[in-house]
Amino acid sequence: DGGITQSPKYLFRKEGQNVTLSCEQNLNHDAMYWYRQDPGQGLRLIYYSQIVNDFQKGDIAEGYSVSREKKESFPLTVTSAQKNPTAFYLCASSKAETQYFGPGTRLLVL
Amino acid sequence: RKEVEQDPGPFNVPEGATVAFNCTYSNSASQSFFWYRQDCRKEPKLLMSVYSSGNEDGRFTAQLNRASQYISLLIRDSKLSDSATYLCVVNRGYTDKLIFGTGTRLQVFP
């Protein structure tokens, strides 16, 4: 089955802790994206990558980091510098202009 | 002014009704337009792309008005299963970055 997987479904972060959200796709898509969704707000772009070993900041990159060592994988790290990390995190991939989303990870702060 | 604006709703309609949503965008250079559907606590899923000539997919019709910078979605013969939030999505100018509206919530009742 082709698709995008994200794990874990729920993640709890303690103060001062870095956490990493996984995103994997087997659609052979070149581009991958990370978004954050807060209640009542549209999706906001955190980081994106058009090709392996290259990525760019989106609109709200502060407090986050990414890597793109493999075409299939685009993990997102939420660092302790992100002061308000509680949100729904969505990973997407695209081959042309259309983006397809994974099921998301809900991050909660303890 | 927001880059993409939608009426948040909710639109409460009976089964079988016809309902229409509009969305306005601010960047006249935008070239790609989409409607996504998002169920509660789930990821957005592509409903349809929107083409200049307008397009139809079963009970769903999308229209684009470049002069007035708005797109619309018409749903005919509403089903209970159409209850969801509908996201208007537009690319940012000459980039392939997508801007998501905050969504219009539709509730179809029996």
Side-chain angles (χ1 to χ4, degrees):
Chain A
D1 250 31
I4 305 172
T5 57
Q6 290 186 243
S7 62
K9 189 172 181 180
Y10 296 96
L11 186 58
F12 298 92
R13 193 190 93 162
K14 294 180 184 176
E15 287 277 343
Q17 189 180 37
N18 292 356
V19 292
T20 298
L21 284 60
S22 168
C23 177
E24 304 276 333
Q25 55 101 358
N26 60 5
L27 300 167
N28 199 32
H29 286 173
D30 293 313
M32 296 186 75
Y33 308 81
W34 273 105
Y35 292 90
R36 167 183 174 139
Q37 188 175 34
D38 295 277
Q41 295 198 38
L43 277 68
R44 292 183 290 167
L45 182 64
I46 304 172
Y47 267 98
Y48 65 104
S49 169
Q50 304 279 43
I51 198 168
V52 174
N53 292 323
D54 188 44
F55 49 83
Q56 284 80 41
K57 292 182 179 180
D59 299 319
I60 55 164
E62 187 175 345
Y64 300 98
S65 65
V66 293
S67 63
R68 186 86 187 276
E69 296 175 4
K70 298 187 299 181
K71 189 175 185 177
E72 302 79 21
S73 178
F74 191 39
L76 173 74
T77 296
V78 184
T79 74
S80 56
Q82 173 48 243
K83 297 306 177 190
N84 186 22
T86 296
F88 187 37
Y89 289 86
L90 289 155
C91 177
S93 70
S94 71
K95 194 146 192 151
E97 57 190 14
T98 306
Q99 293 184 19
Y100 301 92
F101 287 86
T105 292
R106 287 194 185 276
L107 177 60
L108 299 163
V109 177
L110 293 177
Chain B
R1 183 183 173 190
K2 285 184 180 178
E3 290 181 274
V4 177
E5 292 202 68
Q6 296 183 250
D7 180 344
F11 285 61
N12 295 305
V13 303
E15 271 186 296
T18 296
V19 62
F21 310 136
N22 285 336
C23 160
T24 58
Y25 60 95
S26 62
N27 194 325
S28 60
S30 294
Q31 297 294 318
S32 302
F33 309 90
F34 309 90
W35 284 102
Y36 279 74
R37 171 198 167 121
Q38 187 173 26
D39 292 289
C40 190
R41 302 180 71 80
K42 299 284 189 180
E43 75 274 24
K45 293 187 177 174
L46 179 67
L47 181 65
M48 57 199 305
S49 302
V50 186
Y51 303 118
S52 296
S53 54
N55 47 303
E56 188 174 308
D57 183 2
R59 298 182 293 110
F60 300 84
T61 301
Q63 298 277 355
L64 168 63
N65 184 318
R66 286 190 187 273
S68 301
Q69 293 181 206
Y70 78 82
I71 66 175
S72 64
L73 178 68
L74 182 79
I75 305 175
R76 289 181 299 277
D77 188 24
S78 297
K79 311 290 184 194
L80 295 175
S81 57
D82 293 334
S83 298
T85 297
Y86 291 84
L87 307 178
C88 171
V89 184
V90 176
N91 78 303
R92 179 177 280 161
Y94 295 108
T95 75
D96 54 5
K97 291 185 198 175
L98 297 183
I99 307 300
F100 289 76
T102 54
T104 297
R105 191 164 150 237
L106 172 66
Q107 185 67 49
V108 181
F109 57 88

